[in-house]
């Protein structure tokens, strides 16, 4: 009975808040007759967001996405489906596919033309690209189109023989005239597909030979490239397709190139489409509408718990990646996320005082189910069903004024990975 | 982003740029500037590109593509703002 007394499914008067025509099966009633409204959330959930499944619940009632998530991002964004197809989401539209919600941080693509504007098969290369002119080793545009991933590609061929008497490095430069905007790492990413080749070796590089893609053989293959290099501000950036052709050697290589991107940091964000100038994908600001009222109605001020399913694609990044951030300001908030040391971290602070729980370091990338409870005297984190950190510390829960999903309240610390599901419920002693 | 309003704001420093945004946000539902976790201030990254220094264009060798003259800071800072609705204060600050 103690559970029922704490359940948010009951109003203070003791009556269940679910429709009498559809009693929830977890209370021992028969499953709903209408399969479309069968319960898919967890017992006790007051808010359940199944982004990957496209279904949302608030207090046992099906809810629209707009009722449970507000989005601000006045730029377009791209995100993948499970089948590997990219969708483009317009301004203020959350990037949600069957992989989940992508809460992305801000990124600028410094490859100014990755949509190949101005290119002509058998003729011009994309506007802004520069191509080496070496006798006997010409490059050509062999094809243009849209790939099965939904993004544009360009086919580029180099065919000829080096008769110049010296080793040559014929190249196509994607970032001519670009200089680094920062002192720090830049990451160049792309998909290079070898459609056919007669010469193995260098394909792509970011300035230095040490930051390059070399193919080991001439077999057709797909390479998802990530080249990271440290720059100084104002240093020239040369992201290029290049071959090394020794004296007397012939080459006939055909490449398909897509998703060209060059951005700051060492994390390659989803593709940002450019058509003549660098473009910025603004950050997502994702909030639960009317969170203060909901948190009060759900009794979260006395403690709250929940569960999330997230796909983690990387663990080497020294950045915080938050699943949620509930509170009022920096000294008064509760958040759960992947810390910079790749532990799962639950922090609860009121007036900057309160516990911080950390699990052991996550050992691998992949899908994780994370559960947590924020309750004075009994807080914990579970990873894939096992208690991974706990605390009996007593504390004051901060005022839960705003609820951010997938990033920190300042707009940094974005998850930059798909959040498949998020469930919230009251805490249990 | 053709269906949104775009403003480029220029100021002599990052702090001056922040001050322009703080002034423009008065009385509005969503602030342009927010407090970060370290007690500092940051722009609303969902609507504003992070401020950056305005630079001259670099000069490259036409034959080799090598950098001849690196870009030089002009002395101004820039930020770009994209909004769904027009903003008179930002329009004035941008000189639109």
């Amino acid at each position: 009975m103690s559970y029922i007394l704490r359940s948010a499914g009951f109003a203070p008067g003791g009556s269940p808040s679910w429709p009498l025509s559809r009693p929830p099966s977890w209370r021992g009633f028969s499953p709903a007759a209408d399969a479309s409204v069968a319960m898919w959330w967890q017992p006790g959930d007051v808010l359940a967001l199944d982004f990957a499944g496209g279904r949302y619940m608030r207090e046992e009632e099906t809810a629209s996405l707009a009722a449970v998530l507000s989005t601000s991002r006045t730029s377009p964004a791209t995100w993948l489906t499970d089948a590997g197809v990219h969708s483009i989401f317009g301004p203020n539209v959350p990037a949600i596919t069957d992989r989940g919600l992508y809460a992305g941080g801000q990124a600028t693509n410094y490859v100014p033309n990755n949509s190949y504007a101005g290119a002509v098969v058998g003729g011009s290369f994309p506007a802004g690209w520069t191509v080496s002119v070496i006798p006997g080793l010409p490059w050509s545009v062999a094809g243009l189109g849209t790939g099965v991933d939904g993004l544009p590609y360009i086919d580029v061929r180099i065919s000829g023989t080096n008769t110049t008497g010296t080793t040559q490095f014929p190249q196509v430069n994607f970032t001519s005239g670009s200089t680094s905007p920062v002192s720090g790492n830049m990451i160049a990413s792309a998909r290079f597909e070898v459609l056919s080749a007669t010469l193995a070796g260098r394909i792509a590089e970011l300035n230095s030979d040490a930051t390059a893609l070399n193919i080991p053989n001439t077999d057709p293959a797909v390479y998802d490239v990530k080249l990271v290099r440290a720059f100084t501000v104002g240093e020239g950036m040369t992201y290029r397709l290049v071959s090394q052709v020794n004296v007397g050697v012939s080459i006939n290589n055909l490449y398909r190139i897509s998703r060209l991107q060059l951005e700051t940091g060492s994390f390659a964000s989803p593709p940002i489409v450019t058509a003549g100038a660098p473009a910025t994908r603004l950050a997502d600001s994702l909030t639960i509408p009317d969170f203060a009222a909901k948190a009060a109605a759900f009794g979260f001020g006395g403690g709250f718990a929940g569960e999330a399913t997230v796909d983690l694609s990387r663990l080497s990044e020294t950045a915080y990646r938050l699943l949620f951030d509930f509170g009022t300001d920096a000294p008064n908030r509760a958040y759960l996320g992947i810390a910079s040391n790749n532990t799962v971290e639950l922090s609860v602070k009121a007036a900057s005082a309160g516990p911080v729980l950390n699990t052991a370091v996550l050992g691998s990338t992949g899908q994780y189910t994370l559960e947590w409870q924020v309750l004075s005297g009994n807080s914990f984190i579970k990873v894939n069903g096992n208690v991974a950190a706990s605390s009996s510390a007593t504390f004051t829960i901060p005022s839960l004024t705003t609820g951010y999903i997938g990033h920190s309240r300042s707009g940094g610390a974005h998850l930059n990975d798909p959040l498949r599901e998020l469930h919230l419920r009251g805490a249990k002693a | 982003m053709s269906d949104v309003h775009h403003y480029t704001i220029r100021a002599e420093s990052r702090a001056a740029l922040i001050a322009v945004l703080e002034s423009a946000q008065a009385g509005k539902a969503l602030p342009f500037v927010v407090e970060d976790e370290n007690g500092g201030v940051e722009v609303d990254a969902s609507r504003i590109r992070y401020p950056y220094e305005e630079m001259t264009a670099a000069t490259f060798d036409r034959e080799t593509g090598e950098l001849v003259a690196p870009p030089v800071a002009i002395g101004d800072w820039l930020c770009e703002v994209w909004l769904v609705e027009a903003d008179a204060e930002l329009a004035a600050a941008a000189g639109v």
Side-chain angles (χ1 to χ4, degrees):
Chain A
M1 289 302 291
S2 60
Y3 177 71
I4 292 175
L5 289 173
R6 279 191 297 275
S7 169
F10 289 90
S15 302
S17 62
W18 53 75
L20 294 178
S21 60
R22 288 190 279 115
S25 57
W26 59 268
R27 296 304 315 156
F29 299 106
S30 301
D34 181 352
S36 67
V37 292
M39 198 184 82
W40 51 269
W41 51 90
Q42 301 295 317
D45 284 358
V46 291
L47 200 62
L49 314 177
D50 178 5
F51 297 111
R55 52 191 182 175
Y56 310 97
M57 180 280 285
R58 186 179 66 189
E59 292 183 281
E60 307 281 343
E61 295 280 1
T62 296
S64 67
L65 175 61
V68 295
L69 188 74
S70 292
T71 305
S72 174
R73 186 202 61 245
T74 50
S75 75
T78 59
W79 179 228
L80 283 168
T81 65
D82 258 340
V85 178
H86 288 80
S87 296
I88 296 180
F89 300 87
N92 295 333
V93 177
I96 299 173
T97 70
D98 56 0
R99 290 194 70 189
L101 166 71
Y102 186 86
Q106 189 178 118
T108 297
N109 185 359
Y110 290 92
V111 173
N113 184 1
N114 72 356
S115 58
Y116 321 116
V120 176
V121 175
S124 305
F125 274 76
W129 292 21
T130 56
V131 184
S132 61
V133 179
I134 299 171
L137 293 170
W139 292 95
S140 61
V141 177
L144 292 160
T146 300
V148 294
D149 63 357
L151 296 172
Y153 67 77
I154 185 169
D155 291 341
V156 176
R157 181 186 295 278
I158 180 170
S159 178
T161 302
N162 182 1
T163 58
T164 65
T166 57
T167 298
Q168 294 292 343
F169 298 90
Q171 59 192 265
V172 177
N173 191 335
F174 314 127
T175 54
S176 299
S178 296
T179 56
S180 175
V182 296
S183 287
N185 282 344
M186 300 286 294
I187 179 168
S189 57
R191 170 163 286 189
F192 287 91
E193 183 173 358
V194 177
L195 299 175
S196 63
T198 61
L199 184 65
R202 183 64 42 89
I203 284 189
E205 64 183 25
L206 178 60
N207 286 60
S208 68
D209 288 348
T211 314
L213 168 69
N214 295 283
I215 58 171
N217 54 52
T218 57
D219 296 339
V222 175
Y223 300 91
D224 284 324
V225 179
K226 292 185 175 73
L227 307 173
V228 179
R229 181 182 183 274
F231 284 85
T232 57
V233 66
E235 184 180 356
M237 298 188 296
T238 305
Y239 183 21
R240 57 194 167 198
L241 174 68
V242 63
S243 297
Q244 177 177 333
V245 187
N246 294 334
V247 176
V249 172
S250 294
I251 183 172
N252 186 2
N253 287 10
L254 178 62
Y255 308 112
R256 176 162 294 176
I257 306 168
S258 62
R259 309 182 199 176
L260 285 165
Q261 194 144 306
L262 179 61
E263 58 200 298
T264 58
S266 53
F267 160 63
S269 61
I272 300 166
V273 178
T274 60
T280 297
R281 183 248 198 244
L282 295 168
D284 286 297
S285 177
L286 302 160
T287 56
I288 297 173
D290 303 317
F291 185 71
K294 287 188 177 75
F298 299 156
F300 286 178
F304 63 95
E307 177 180 330
T309 307
V310 60
D311 285 332
L312 297 180
S313 64
R314 62 199 186 283
L315 288 174
S316 58
E317 192 177 313
T318 55
Y320 271 73
R321 289 156 277 163
L322 298 196
L323 277 70
F324 68 76
D325 187 341
F326 300 160
T328 302
D329 52 23
N332 299 281
R333 61 179 183 143
Y335 69 76
L336 178 83
I338 313 302
S340 55
N341 60 1
N342 295 312
T343 63
V344 182
E345 182 169 300
L346 176 65
S347 172
V348 187
K349 300 286 185 188
S352 299
V356 179
L357 284 68
N358 286 88
T359 67
V361 173
L362 298 175
S364 61
T365 58
Q367 189 170 112
Y368 284 91
T369 298
L370 305 177
E371 297 169 77
W372 67 88
Q373 176 160 281
V374 174
L375 181 65
S376 183
N378 184 16
S379 297
F380 62 78
I381 305 169
K382 290 182 180 177
V383 177
N384 294 335
N386 301 310
V387 175
S390 62
S391 171
S392 58
T394 57
F395 54 85
T396 301
I397 293 179
S399 178
L400 302 176
T401 307
T402 49
Y404 295 92
I405 302 297
H407 60 89
S408 64
R409 58 183 312 102
S410 70
H414 280 78
L415 184 57
N416 286 318
D417 260 331
L419 180 61
R420 297 183 66 84
E421 292 189 42
L422 179 73
H423 301 251
L424 294 174
R425 62 188 76 106
K428 287 191 284 189
Chain B
M1 287 191 263
S2 58
D3 53 348
V4 296
H5 300 272
H6 179 221
Y7 307 101
T8 300
I9 315 292
R10 180 178 278 102
E12 64 269 22
S13 66
R14 183 182 184 279
L17 209 49
I18 294 293
V20 170
L21 294 169
E22 284 179 328
S23 173
Q25 75 189 12
K28 291 169 187 164
L30 275 177
F32 296 128
V33 176
V34 296
E35 184 180 1
D36 69 18
E37 280 75 16
N38 301 314
V41 292
E42 190 50 270
V43 299
D44 173 1
S46 75
R47 299 182 295 162
I48 305 172
R49 181 177 172 185
Y50 292 124
Y52 56 98
E53 279 191 277
E54 187 173 22
M55 311 286 278
T56 59
T59 305
F60 291 82
D61 186 296
R62 289 190 179 188
E63 297 291 324
T64 65
E66 296 300 317
L67 182 65
V68 174
V72 177
I74 289 174
D76 281 346
W77 281 69
L78 296 174
C79 76
E80 295 174 78
V81 185
W82 290 270
L83 300 176
V84 172
E85 296 181 352
D87 187 287
E89 285 74 23
L90 287 186
V96 177

